[in-house]
Amino acid sequence: MIALFAFLSALALSYAGTRLLLARPPRNGFVDVPNARSSHDRPKPRYGGIAIVSAFILVFAGLCIARPEFRTLLPVLGGVAVLFGIGLMDDWRGVGVGARFIAQGAAAAMAIASGLVIDQIGLPVAGTVQLGVLAVPVTALVIVASINFYNFIDGIDGLAAGSAFIAAAFLAIVGFMVGQPVLAVVFLAVAGAAIGFLQFNFPPSRLFMGDSGSTFFGYVFACLAIAGNRARPEIPLFVPLLLLSSLYLDAALTIVNRLMKNEKVLQPHRTHYYQRLLQIGLNHKQVTLLEYLVTILLGASALLYVRAGQWFAPFLAVTWVLAFTLSILKIRGLERGDRLIWERRTLFVVATDLMAIALAFMGAYFVRMNFQFTEVEGRAVLRVLPIVVIVRSACFFKFGLYRSMWRYTTTNDVVRVIKAVTVGSGIILAAVVLLYRFVAFPRSLFVLEYFLLISFILGVRFSTRLFHEIGRESQGGEVRRYAVIGSGDAAERAAREINARGPGHGVVCFVDDDAATIGLSIHGVPVEGPGDRLADIAGRHRLDVLVYALEGAGEAAAARWVDRARGARLPIDAVSGGLDSALPDAIAMDRVALALGRRTNVSARALGGLHGRKVLVTHGGGPFAGALVAGLRHAGALPLLQVDTGHPGVGDVAFCAGALHENAAQFVRGFMPDVVIHVLDIEPSGAINDEDSGWNRVVRDSEALARAVWSARPGCRIVVASLWNATRPGDRAAAVAAVMETMVLARAGTESLAVLRLPRVLTSPVLAATRESAGAFDLLESEAVRQLLELAAGGFRGIYVPAAAREFPLALARAALRGSDIIPASAATPGRLALFASEHIDECGVDGVRRVLGPLFPATYPFRRWGEEGPVESSPAARAEWLRAVGEQLDQPSARGERVLD
């Protein structure tokens, strides 16, 4: 209980003290300004040692008060106080080298005076060496060297604090193992103080610990190591040296190298090996985590040494000397331009796997025999080791383990490794039974070896992948923060692609409506939801952009997410960043709308007024059928498409087939719609019989629909989507449209009938077509659908036109879809929406549209009479005369009105 108290108290005090320092920093000094040798690029405070040392002193003082046995280490606080004072002055204003060495000598003298002297050293295999008269000088040298070595390695974010935590934690475990709980508890206090500060020092850091913190760690580790060496039962001095060997070896080799080059040892430099790793392209987090991994492996080795006895030490020493030597050689090779992985990659992979095979087999033997080498079993294991290596290597080659790239390790590689190890185990067992009758072999040996080998092989491969992915993680403040819409396989693939773009991009959350996934995480990234809370989610995660990754959700779901994204003021991006054929039409059109400065989201009026309503859409929905159906489903309506013949080709929407002027009454009575959206293409197609087909499609179909609604469904709303495209006043098609508007407005028998004249509308099929077009457009289909739904939901009557129409070329829309951020203002010019000379426009209170006022509405004579009595089934001659008269009436100039819509 006291051990847990010491660790948690130190952690809490260090964490709280660091937060307090960051909230109220000292007014002067304590700032590390970067220079040519610095590893950071902007000024950062360096007073973190205040929180670390204060936390340790408070916890240690409490331990001394509560338990008398801790008071034997009380003199250590004197040296801590001296080093903390001189370190604090150095962090504040800077202190000369001479003053620092005097303070370090004084701290070492205090420790020696209290009895912390290395009088003997227990060496593995060699036995105990008595130092005699050299005891005091060696002790002073060890303490001063430890202080400076630890200060030297405090050069990049998180290295000193994280390594101190790992080393202290392992030393605490060693203390409990050998029966030294006092030292173990003090080590836990050191670990707690380190990890509490590490929250703010891990890359990218917010502050440094400074000399006041780094010299503290070096001094405490030295003093506690000496105390453990003098204790009975002892903690051999070899153990803390082994744990800190990667850090101290870096400092020692750097000093030796500089001495050999006749350089000033105490002059600041950037030649430490961790600094050289930064210079060859690794980032702070990669180097720091590499050092953590090495320290953890050293800690595991120390535990094995304590557990296994002295004969295990030579094996560890040889292994780590070889590993350190190869690492140093590789760093020097990288500085010469070599690759990270050795040039002969296959040889390197084979050598690594051979080492893993041997370590797994021998490790399983040592674990099984309680880390003792026994004569009979040991000889049997060594005898079969060549067979194991050969069989394992052959199986690895057969299953392709030498051809895979470790940085892209996936679950497929896991399956291949398991297959290779399983087949190899079967062959090895058969060979052992046939050759040696399984005599002298522990039965559990091959089971342990099986699992150890799988762990080693997969551990190396996944560690390599993790190492490369760490280099791509988002760092610093200049990061584009993404949220992926969805939580399935497509979302996971999208997240990997985004994170692979580099350090400036990062997925911070997934967003989904599926209650079963909300609250879970994918690769450590949380799944948020539902989508209705997108604005709140965006604020909490400081999102910059959304990425749509819902497979098979349909256009209605895409339209719903477009509205949510607009409400949260976020763009929706494609994963590929270009023209993605898998991108829903609603998302693609929304990207274009954003780039062109258009407003396309469905209004609250449409969402409320159409929810649960049955909507009949005529003529298959026209060129924007998909967007119209998606908008209706997004609003909660139930759409039914009428088509003249065949299937409409719009998803799984219900439809009815047959000519409208012949079956209008049947369709209305059968479906009993609440709303009818009547889609008409006014522009002639150029066919031979276009005059007759245009009259039938525009006039006869519309008159029949209006009459059917009046008789069977008088409360039904009608919205006519009149697609003028390039039609202009004076054209015959414009006169036909005027006749249609006159008739439906007079004969519909409903107070809710609106005609929306639409100019040239860019639709998703046109945008996605591979053939380039020189055409220009005034509206996007999403804008047209928004205006139609607004009129359909509100119960309005009259003729309407879009409130704003700006012409833009198709090439501009394609550029916007491909992700162009800058749309030149000159590329979009004011468009002209054709109005008859006798008409003018006025505000109407409907968002996005304006009302057209003139002789057609409110109807004046003779349009009122023509609308009520005009013969629909007229002869071609009578029809031509009718159209001529309509044209003459509409061509009379209006005394008021705006005819150009900007």
Side-chain angles (χ1 to χ4, degrees), residues 20-76:
L20 183 62
L21 288 171
L22 288 172
R24 296 183 179 180
R27 294 179 179 273
N28 300 313
F30 294 105
V31 176
D32 193 332
V33 179
N35 51 42
R37 66 179 180 84
S38 299
S39 300
H40 57 291
D41 55 5
R42 63 179 184 272
K44 290 185 180 181
R46 56 183 178 191
Y47 44 66
I50 298 175
I52 296 172
V53 178
S54 299
F56 174 80
I57 290 176
L58 289 174
V59 172
F60 185 67
L63 292 173
C64 291
I65 294 172
R67 296 289 184 89
E69 58 268 28
F70 287 94
R71 298 171 189 171
T72 57
L73 298 174
L74 196 57
V76 174

Side-chain angles (χ1 to χ4, degrees), residues 542-629:
R542 305 191 310 280
L543 299 179
D544 297 311
V545 65
L546 300 171
V547 171
Y548 189 82
L550 286 175
E551 286 184 321
E555 287 293 332
R560 183 165 57 252
W561 281 103
V562 166
D563 268 359
R564 291 168 172 174
R566 286 296 182 98
R569 300 180 182 275
L570 290 173
I572 299 183
D573 196 3
V575 176
S576 63
L579 186 58
D580 189 349
S581 59
L583 196 65
D585 292 341
I587 306 295
M589 199 61 70
D590 180 64
R591 295 183 67 193
V592 177
L594 283 174
L596 297 178
R598 304 278 175 147
R599 183 182 179 191
T600 63
N601 57 312
V602 178
S603 68
R605 175 185 291 166
L607 293 174
L610 293 175
H611 186 75
R613 305 286 186 178
K614 293 187 289 184
V615 181
L616 174 64
V617 181
T618 66
H619 294 147
F624 45 76
L628 181 55
V629 170

Side-chain angles (χ1 to χ4, degrees), residues 738-863:
V739 171
M740 176 273 299
E741 293 173 358
T742 300
M743 285 190 168
V744 296
L745 287 169
R747 301 186 183 188
T750 175
E751 290 300 320
S752 179
L753 191 151
V755 178
L756 178 62
R757 295 177 184 172
L758 291 171
R760 296 164 298 180
V761 179
L762 176 63
T763 63
S764 296
V766 174
L767 183 64
T770 56
R771 181 176 61 86
E772 289 291 339
S773 172
F777 301 88
D778 300 295
L779 291 179
L780 302 172
E781 68 175 17
S782 47
E783 292 179 281
V785 168
R786 181 183 190 279
Q787 294 164 8
L788 283 173
L789 298 186
E790 185 81 8
L791 292 172
F796 300 98
R797 185 175 180 83
I799 301 172
Y800 299 86
V801 293
R806 297 187 68 83
E807 181 180 293
F808 58 89
L810 177 61
L812 186 63
R814 288 183 183 278
L817 182 59
R818 293 189 180 97
S820 298
D821 295 327
I822 301 176
I823 303 299
S826 59
T829 59
R832 291 181 178 271
L833 184 63
L835 298 174
F836 294 107
S838 57
E839 294 177 331
H840 64 276
I841 59 176
D842 196 10
E843 298 292 342
C844 60
V846 184
D847 191 19
V849 298
R850 296 182 186 177
R851 193 197 305 262
V852 177
L853 300 179
L856 293 175
F857 182 84
T860 60
Y861 185 86
F863 289 100

Side-chain angles (χ1 to χ4, degrees), residues 302-324:
L303 296 182
L304 290 175
Y305 166 72
V306 173
R307 186 70 180 85
Q310 292 190 353
W311 286 103
F312 198 69
F315 170 73
L316 286 177
V318 171
T319 300
W320 282 112
V321 167
L322 288 175
F324 285 141

Side-chain angles (χ1 to χ4, degrees), residues 393-650:
S393 300
C395 290
F396 284 6
F397 176 80
K398 173 64 177 177
F399 286 92
L401 267 62
Y402 298 142
R403 295 190 297 272
S404 62
M405 297 182 67
W406 292 359
R407 67 182 299 177
Y408 301 115
T409 301
T410 63
T411 53
N412 293 330
D413 297 290
V414 175
V415 173
R416 288 205 303 271
V417 169
I418 293 175
K419 286 181 179 179
V421 175
T422 303
V423 172
S425 294
I427 296 174
I428 292 168
L429 284 173
V432 170
V433 172
L434 291 174
L435 296 176
Y436 305 109
R437 299 294 187 269
F438 220 98
V439 176
F441 290 95
R443 295 186 178 182
S444 59
L445 169 66
F446 294 97
V447 176
L448 291 172
E449 186 262 353
Y450 176 83
F451 289 105
L452 279 177
L453 184 57
I454 290 177
S455 301
F456 286 171
I457 297 298
L458 291 180
V460 170
R461 283 156 171 77
F462 276 105
S463 296
T464 303
R465 174 178 174 175
L466 177 62
F467 178 76
H468 285 285
E469 289 181 353
I470 288 170
R472 299 179 183 272
E473 287 182 351
S474 304
Q475 307 227 5
E478 300 299 325
V479 178
R480 191 167 174 82
R481 302 171 67 86
Y482 292 79
V484 178
I485 299 173
S487 57
D489 293 340
E492 190 272 341
R493 290 194 301 271
R496 282 193 280 110
E497 182 173 337
I498 292 167
N499 289 327
R501 292 177 180 177
H505 306 266
V507 176
V508 296
C509 70
F510 296 84
V511 187
D512 204 348
D513 289 323
D514 187 359
T517 62
I518 296 173
L520 304 179
S521 63
I522 301 174
H523 301 316
V525 178
V527 180
E528 301 276 6
D532 294 335
R533 298 177 55 248
L534 182 59
D536 174 62
I537 295 170
R540 285 191 290 107
H541 290 279
R542 305 191 310 280
L543 299 179
D544 297 311
V545 65
L546 300 171
V547 171
Y548 189 82
L550 286 175
E551 286 184 321
E555 287 293 332
R560 183 165 57 252
W561 281 103
V562 166
D563 268 359
R564 291 168 172 174
R566 286 296 182 98
R569 300 180 182 275
L570 290 173
I572 299 183
D573 196 3
V575 176
S576 63
L579 186 58
D580 189 349
S581 59
L583 196 65
D585 292 341
I587 306 295
M589 199 61 70
D590 180 64
R591 295 183 67 193
V592 177
L594 283 174
L596 297 178
R598 304 278 175 147
R599 183 182 179 191
T600 63
N601 57 312
V602 178
S603 68
R605 175 185 291 166
L607 293 174
L610 293 175
H611 186 75
R613 305 286 186 178
K614 293 187 289 184
V615 181
L616 174 64
V617 181
T618 66
H619 294 147
F624 45 76
L628 181 55
V629 170
L632 289 170
R633 284 182 166 172
H634 170 36
L638 306 174
L640 174 74
L641 261 63
Q642 175 271 327
V643 295
D644 293 335
T645 57
H647 192 279
V650 182

